[in-house]
């Protein structure tokens, strides 16, 4: 393991050493303020995008209402990779699963920035006090989930090849449950779509009225509010489908 770490460091030194030299001569060399470093911290409630990527709307149809930039904060990787990762954690607890799991959890906690405990502690250490955008570490979360999903896929293939009856029954039941849950959620949202739209509209109106925008700007936004909330509802509904 030690040899692997040394080789990895030597291979990455072509990027690390020039970056270290540059940092000493940049305007971040003496460190940056905590507020600047913690910009683009991922709020805990934003992790719902791991399942519903368009929960906060989408910049594609100009309905995004979440904090910051969606491409910096979103943790969506797909439902299937999460399902396979869960199988790996439950059925294959070897050292590789543990490593990927620890990295995934750490990256999620670090990405919370000012909203968590990990980033404020690490910010006091050298190197961390010259970096910003805690949510940028989510690429490690993606790497870890990809690794866990691969392990989960291998577990499924092993079980299928071994033809273990109990395991196959478990997978069939899990698949049926997932399909039923998806259909039930879609139908429930469809039946309550007007309530969801009205709720989103009321929240948006309250936030708008408390803003410092001019009255003219507020009226213009209110005129487009109905179509916007319907688009947000449509985004969430299509995510579930």
């Amino acid at each position: 393991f030690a040899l692997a770490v040394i080789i990895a460091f030597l291979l990455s030194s072509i990027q690390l050493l020039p970056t270290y030299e540059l940092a000493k001569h940049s305007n971040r060399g003496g460190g940056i303020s905590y507020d600047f470093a913690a910009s683009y911290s991922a709020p805990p409630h934003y992790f719902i995008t791991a399942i519903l990527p368009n929960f906060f709307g989408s910049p594609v149809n100009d309905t995004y209402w979440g904090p910051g930039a969606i491409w910096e904060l979103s943790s969506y990787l797909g439902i299937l990779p999460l399902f396979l990762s869960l199988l790996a954690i439950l059925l294959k607890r070897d050292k590789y699963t543990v490593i990927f799991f620890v990295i995934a959890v750490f990256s999620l906690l670090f990405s919370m920035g000012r909203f968590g405990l990990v980033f404020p502690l690490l910010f006091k250490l050298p190197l961390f006090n010259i970096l910003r955008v805690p949510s940028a570490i989510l690429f490690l979360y993606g790497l870890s989930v990809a690794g866990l999903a691969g392990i989960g896929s291998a577990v499924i293939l092993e079980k299928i090849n071994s033809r273990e009856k109990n395991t196959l029954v478990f997978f069939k039941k899990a698949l049926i449950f997932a399909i039923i849950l998806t259909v039930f959620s879609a139908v429930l949202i469809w039946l309550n779509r007007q309530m969801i739209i009205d709720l989103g509209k009321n929240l948006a109106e309250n936030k708008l009225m408390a803003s410092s925008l001019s009255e003219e700007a507020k009226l213009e936004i209110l005129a487009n509010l109905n179509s916007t909330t319907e688009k947000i509802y449509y985004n969430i509904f299509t995510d579930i489908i």
Side-chain angles (χ1 to χ4, degrees), residues 95-231:
K95 61 180 181 180
Y96 300 108
T97 301
V98 172
I99 290 173
F100 282 131
F101 177 73
V102 170
I103 293 175
V105 172
F106 171 78
S107 58
L108 287 176
L109 294 176
F110 185 90
S111 71
M112 293 169 62
R114 68 172 81 248
F115 302 106
L117 299 176
V118 176
F119 181 79
L121 291 175
L122 294 180
F123 180 73
K124 300 175 183 179
L125 302 177
L127 180 62
F128 288 96
N129 64 351
I130 63 173
L131 303 175
R132 63 185 290 262
V133 188
S135 58
I137 202 174
L138 285 174
F139 83 92
L140 287 179
Y141 166 73
L143 175 65
S144 302
V145 170
L148 289 172
I151 295 173
S153 300
V155 169
I156 292 178
L157 292 176
E158 288 175 5
K159 299 298 182 182
I160 292 177
N161 292 332
S162 65
R163 298 188 180 279
E164 294 183 19
K165 184 177 180 181
N166 292 336
T167 304
L168 291 176
V169 171
F170 168 78
F171 285 135
K172 288 179 181 178
K173 289 183 177 180
L175 180 60
I176 293 173
F177 175 76
I179 293 174
I180 293 175
L181 182 61
T182 301
V183 173
F184 175 78
S185 301
V187 171
L188 187 63
I189 289 182
W190 175 259
L191 294 176
N192 295 279
R193 61 189 182 280
Q194 192 57 50
M195 183 185 70
I196 296 173
I197 291 174
D198 292 340
L199 177 61
K201 183 179 177 181
N202 290 335
L203 291 173
E205 286 179 350
N206 292 335
K207 187 175 182 180
L208 180 63
M209 289 301 128
S211 68
S212 58
L213 294 174
S214 65
E215 291 299 321
E216 183 180 351
K218 290 180 180 179
L219 291 174
E220 183 179 352
I221 294 175
L222 283 174
N224 298 321
L225 197 55
N226 284 327
S227 61
T228 300
T229 50
E230 288 175 3
K231 287 179 181 177

Side-chain angles (χ1 to χ4, degrees), residues 1 13 44 51 54 59-60 120-121 131 169 189 215 217 227 232 234 239:
F1 177 77
S13 62
I51 302 174
N54 290 316
V60 174
L121 291 175
L131 303 175
V169 171
I189 289 182
E215 291 299 321
S227 61
I232 292 173
Y234 175 77
D239 282 342

Side-chain angles (χ1 to χ4, degrees), residues 18-86:
T19 301
Y20 174 73
E21 284 292 323
L22 176 64
K24 293 190 296 184
H25 301 285
S26 72
N27 56 1
R28 296 190 187 185
I32 56 179
S33 69
Y34 176 78
D35 288 337
F36 182 65
S39 57
Y40 290 100
S41 298
H45 62 267
Y46 208 93
F47 291 135
I48 194 174
T49 58
I51 302 174
L52 298 173
N54 290 316
F55 183 86
F56 294 99
S58 171
V60 174
N61 54 11
D62 200 27
T63 59
Y64 184 70
W65 57 278
I70 189 172
W71 50 86
E72 292 283 3
L73 304 176
S74 179
S75 54
Y76 182 74
L77 298 171
I79 300 300
L80 183 59
L82 290 181
F83 176 73
L84 293 173
S85 298
L86 182 60

